[in-house]
């Protein structure tokens, strides 16, 4: 049975806090670019962007990243990049500070794939990572710079993030 | 017994005395609180103040003595329209309660006219007296309000409020007990110290974070506390509440202004700038940060009052410092603001985590 562990209000607060921390640790937000990992990472990116706009009155570019072709859990035939359509990033990330956003950080493999995709699209000055939930069990040397909530889990459990834009409401459940 | 409320500008409001029969003087504050009168009267912020309640009838639901915000009331006097003799659950009536606290009161005053007068002419000193001759008015004009309000309400001796969580040092500028209640609810291990405690004394307590509490009076009367903030803010996460936030602002060369219409109301809407969320919270402040200087300062505005655009919340751009001008602990008023304490704890946790990462990686 799914159990709600974070409600909409707490999620909103976590996103606001991440925004404050981004401002705090970057000593200003020039050169910043937000890149959301499809699907929910994109909504996370947009929510951070709208908060930055309200607080600092600056428009930060937001891009969507589809990492399907870079995933390492596919066989070689599936991985034939020529067969997969990749959407190019619609913004310039050269010499920018890229903040990658995703909903859940788990093994770190998605993030590795995302970094591959970013590297093939340009040469960012720096890449940081912001996630709503860090659930542990990393399989790669990757960590998040901005974490909404650390939720210790067992590998048998599932974390489900719902966001208003696609699921109708904001919540995080565990089952 | 006929008594008079005399204002600094010579205006006289006649009424009937109750409570203590002493002559009293203080800063007149118009409070629009509907409920939680117990909390307003026992709030240390009321030190040196005569509270005028605009609600037509005070104490309709009795007086609940579990709702104290300090052990002894510091309020100098109360002004009301009328009060109810109602004693719910056998509790004490408003007038009997004020008498037991030895506070002078005056009733049957046209409080709406009084509120309008203050709104037009600004906050002023006032006195509750038995006469209203020239001499009395001259006296109130000549009265100088004491500049050491915080000294009178701050704890002289440090004391603990033990628990098992984060170690929080609270600098008592006129601390309301509800702040401690909120910290206890979050398992914080708090120690409350005098407003003039030295940097060494505070550092010796090894805090995870420091709270500068609410309090009465003019922030500029506390230069030593401001100096301490300048040193401590580089090492510890800070939360300012009310007066505490104003001191944090002054410590960072941010100017403050007196509000044309001071906020003394238990339910006034405040908007969180980042998310657009609206919260109804308790206000009790006459000063705020000056809009003109905020742009060039290191602060960002996190909350604004919906009614008049007053700055209600700030956050430092580079240091883990946050402050609110409203009272997140409520008491009286709605509890929407409680999240400020969660935010402060999140702030401390994230600073700790960053420090952990730094020591791991270096």
């Amino acid at each position: 049975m799914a159990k709600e562990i974070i409600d909409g209000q707490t999620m909103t607060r976590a996103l606001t806090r991440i925004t404050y921390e981004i401002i705090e640790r970057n000593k200003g937000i020039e050169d910043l670019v937000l890149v959301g990992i499809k699907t929910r990472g994109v909504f996370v990116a947009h929510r951070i962007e709208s908060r930055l706009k309200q607080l600092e009155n600056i428009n930060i570019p937001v891009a969507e990243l589809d990492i399907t072709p870079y995933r390492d859990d596919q066989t070689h035939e599936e991985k034939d990049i020529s067969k997969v359509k990749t959407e190019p990033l619609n913004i310039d990330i050269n010499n920018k500070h890229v903040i990658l956003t995703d909903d859940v950080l788990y093994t770190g493999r998605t993030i590795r794939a995302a970094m591959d995709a970013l590297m093939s699209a340009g040469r960012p000055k720096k890449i940081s990572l912001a996630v709503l939930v860090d659930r542990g069990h990393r399989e790669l040397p990757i960590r998040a710079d901005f974490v909404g909530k650390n939720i210790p889990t067992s590998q048998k459990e599932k974390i489900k993030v719902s966001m208003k834009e696609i699921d109708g409401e904001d919540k995080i459940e565990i089952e | 017994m006929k008594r008079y409320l005399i204002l600094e500008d010579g205006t006289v409001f006649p009424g009937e005395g109750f409570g203590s029969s002493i002559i009293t003087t203080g800063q007149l504050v118009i409070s629009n609180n509907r409920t939680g009168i117990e909390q307003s009267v026992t709030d240390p912020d009321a030190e040196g103040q005569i509270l005028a309640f605009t609600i037509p009838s005070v104490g309709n639901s009795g007086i609940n003595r579990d709702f104290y915000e300090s052990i002894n009331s510091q309020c100098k006097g109360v002004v009301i329209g009328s009060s109810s003799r109602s004693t719910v659950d056998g509790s004490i009536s408003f007038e009997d309660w004020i008498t037991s606290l030895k506070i002078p009161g005056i009733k049957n005053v046209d409080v709406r006219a009084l509120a309008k007068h203050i709104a037009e002419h600004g906050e002023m000193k006032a006195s509750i007296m038995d006469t209203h001759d020239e001499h009395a008015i001259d006296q109130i004009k000549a009265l100088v309000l004491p500049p050491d309000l915080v000294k009178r309400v701050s704890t002289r001796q440090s004391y603990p409020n033990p628990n098992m969580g984060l170690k929080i040092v609270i600098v008592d500028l006129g601390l309301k007990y509800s702040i401690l209640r909120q910290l206890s609810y979050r398992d914080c291990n708090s120690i409350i110290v005098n407003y003039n405690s030295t940097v060494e004394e505070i550092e010796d307590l090894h805090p995870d974070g420091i709270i500068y509490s609410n309090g009465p009076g003019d922030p500029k009367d506390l230069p030593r506390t401001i100096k301490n903030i300048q040193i401590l803010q580089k090492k510890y996460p800070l939360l300012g509440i009310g007066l505490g936030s104003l001191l944090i602002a002054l410590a960072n060369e941010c100017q403050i202004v007196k509000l044309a219409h001071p906020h003394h109301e238990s339910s006034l809407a405040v908007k969180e700038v980042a998310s657009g969320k609206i919260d109804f919270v308790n206000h009790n402040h006459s000063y705020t940060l000056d809009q003109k200087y905020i742009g060039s300062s290191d602060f960002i505005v996190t909350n604004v009052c919906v009614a008049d655009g007053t700055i209600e919340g700030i956050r430092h751009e580079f240091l883990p410092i946050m402050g609110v001008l409203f009272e997140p602990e409520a008491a009286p008023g709605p509890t929407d603001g409680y999240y400020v304490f969660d935010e402060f704890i999140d702030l401390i946790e994230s600073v700790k985590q960053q420090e952990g990462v730094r020591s791991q990686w270096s």
Side-chain angles (χ1 to χ4, degrees), chain A residues 12-13 16-17 20-21 23-25 27-28 50-51 54-56 143 145 150, chain B residues 272-275 300-302 315 317-319 339 342 346 350 353-354 357 361:
Chain A
T12 310
R13 224 186 58 228
T16 306
R17 183 171 52 78
Y20 292 144
E21 283 179 16
I23 297 172
E24 208 177 284
R25 266 186 252 155
K27 322 253 178 248
S50 86
R51 283 166 168 75
Q54 291 297 323
L55 287 167
E56 298 275 31
R143 68 175 173 83
D145 303 272
N150 285 302
Chain B
E272 188 180 66
V273 176
S275 64
I300 49 173
V301 177
T302 54
R315 200 149 173 142
E317 282 193 82
F318 317 125
L319 297 169
Y339 77 92
D342 295 320
D346 286 344
S350 111
Q353 211 172 9
Q354 278 304 107
V357 169
W361 288 61

Side-chain angles (χ1 to χ4, degrees), chain B residues 12-45:
Chain B
V12 176
F13 287 85
E16 197 186 326
F18 69 96
S20 166
S21 57
I22 55 167
I23 290 172
T24 186
T25 51
Q27 180 81 34
L28 182 70
V29 169
I30 305 292
S31 169
N32 293 321
N33 290 358
R34 261 72 190 120
T35 56
I37 304 296
E38 308 91 327
Q39 291 154 328
S40 298
V41 171
T42 55
D43 184 343
D45 279 3

